[in-house]
Amino acid sequence: MNSALLPRVSVCPHSSFSYCFIATLKKGEGLGGRTVSLLKPKEKPAPQKPVAGAFNERNIPASEFRRFYDRGDLPIAIEHGPQNRIYWKVEI
């Protein structure tokens, strides 16, 4: 231990010297309260990946809305008036 870092005490209960160094420990430097085991933990089985089917290809039924959407045209129009409204060109 480095004696320059320890505080001096005028009376030492541990020896016959007129002064003594008391070791002060900071948080985490001591050994008290630690749980140590030499046993190896049991191996846990590797978790299996869940199967949800989010990336499976889905069948999209052909519809008039789909035909408009595929060619890049949204089948809506705006009716201008006192209140602007959306007018659908196809049945949804």
Side-chain angles (χ1 to χ4, degrees), residues 43-61:
E43 291 186 23
K44 296 179 182 176
Q48 296 178 350
K49 294 181 181 178
V51 179
F55 296 105
N56 294 345
E57 189 170 330
R58 290 173 276 217
N59 184 18
I60 301 171

Side-chain angles (χ1 to χ4, degrees), residues 27-80:
K27 185 175 183 179
E29 291 179 350
L31 296 176
R34 291 190 181 174
T35 57
V36 179
S37 176
L38 299 177
L39 296 175
K40 293 182 180 178
K42 294 180 182 178
E43 291 186 23
K44 296 179 182 176
Q48 296 178 350
K49 294 181 181 178
V51 179
F55 296 105
N56 294 345
E57 189 170 330
R58 290 173 276 217
N59 184 18
I60 301 171
S63 66
E64 195 174 1
F65 181 85
R66 187 58 159 170
R67 187 174 54 88
F68 274 91
Y69 185 82
D70 285 341
R71 74 175 181 208
D73 182 26
L74 289 180
I76 62 172
I78 299 175
E79 291 181 5
H80 295 283

